[in-house]
Amino acid sequence: EADLLAQGPPTPEEKEERLRLEHEAERMEINISTKERAERLSRMLYVYAREHPELGYRQGMHEILSYVLLALEMDIAVQDRHR
């Protein structure tokens, strides 16, 4: 996200996209255990959309990413238990 800030402030379109992504993440809050996790998901989607403007955000990406994020969190939890 820091690299994005070096690119300058977001355009009005990017701000609108960020709000839409935050809304999508909030809709998934049923499947997301914490507000912090929803914010992390929103930030990840925003960074992806800004780094890949030709694709941007597409409906349903938040659902796929939420399961990828869950799998990563589970892997980290297992590794922490084995330390």
Side-chain angles (χ1 to χ4, degrees), residues 37 40-45 60-72:
R37 195 162 184 273
R40 185 178 307 131
L41 178 67
S42 176
R43 283 193 315 269
M44 291 170 76
L45 289 168
M61 283 180 156
H62 65 285
E63 293 172 346
I64 295 167
L65 182 58
S66 70
Y67 289 107
V68 171
L69 186 56
L70 177 63
L72 291 172

Side-chain angles (χ1 to χ4, degrees), residues 12-69:
E13 293 83 15
E14 290 170 338
K15 287 180 182 179
E16 184 177 321
E17 181 78 355
R18 179 78 184 246
L19 290 173
R20 187 166 68 103
L21 293 172
E22 288 172 1
H23 174 71
E24 291 292 337
E26 287 170 6
R27 284 183 0 157
M28 286 295 294
E29 209 161 344
I30 293 170
N31 295 331
I32 297 174
S33 57
T34 66
K35 179 102 174 132
E36 178 183 309
R37 195 162 184 273
E39 290 170 358
R40 185 178 307 131
L41 178 67
S42 176
R43 283 193 315 269
M44 291 170 76
L45 289 168
Y46 174 74
V47 168
Y48 180 85
R50 192 146 182 216
E51 288 292 318
H52 302 278
E54 67 283 353
L55 181 61
Y57 173 80
R58 297 289 184 257
Q59 185 175 357
M61 283 180 156
H62 65 285
E63 293 172 346
I64 295 167
L65 182 58
S66 70
Y67 289 107
V68 171
L69 186 56

